[in-house]
Amino acid sequence: MRYSSAPRCSACEHRAILERVTAEVLVAESGEILVPYDCPEGNGVHVCNPDFERGDRPAH
């Protein structure tokens, strides 16, 4: 799965919609910089970088 070609979530700033295993791989490959979180609309799992994202970012 390529992150750039993953389906996008219209409810969450068009973040990639990921399966949990895929999100966990991305988190590990980022050196734990990325943080996974469940989509509040039930559209799988998203990842974010809380050090750079401001505003309505997910709590972790």
Side-chain angles (χ1 to χ4, degrees):
M1 195 276 320
R2 294 180 66 103
Y3 182 87
S4 61
S5 62
R8 299 295 163 157
C9 181
S10 61
C12 296
E13 301 174 335
H14 298 282
R15 292 182 184 276
I17 299 171
L18 307 169
E19 293 182 17
R20 183 158 311 278
V21 172
T22 303
E24 290 172 357
V25 168
L26 289 171
V27 169
E29 289 180 355
S30 76
E32 307 295 320
I33 292 171
L34 296 176
V35 175
Y37 66 98
D38 293 327
C39 174
E41 298 295 319
N43 295 327
V45 179
H46 303 308
V47 295
C48 74
N49 181 337
D51 291 337
F52 290 101
E53 297 185 43
R54 305 287 181 239
D56 293 332
R57 64 187 165 128
H60 65 279

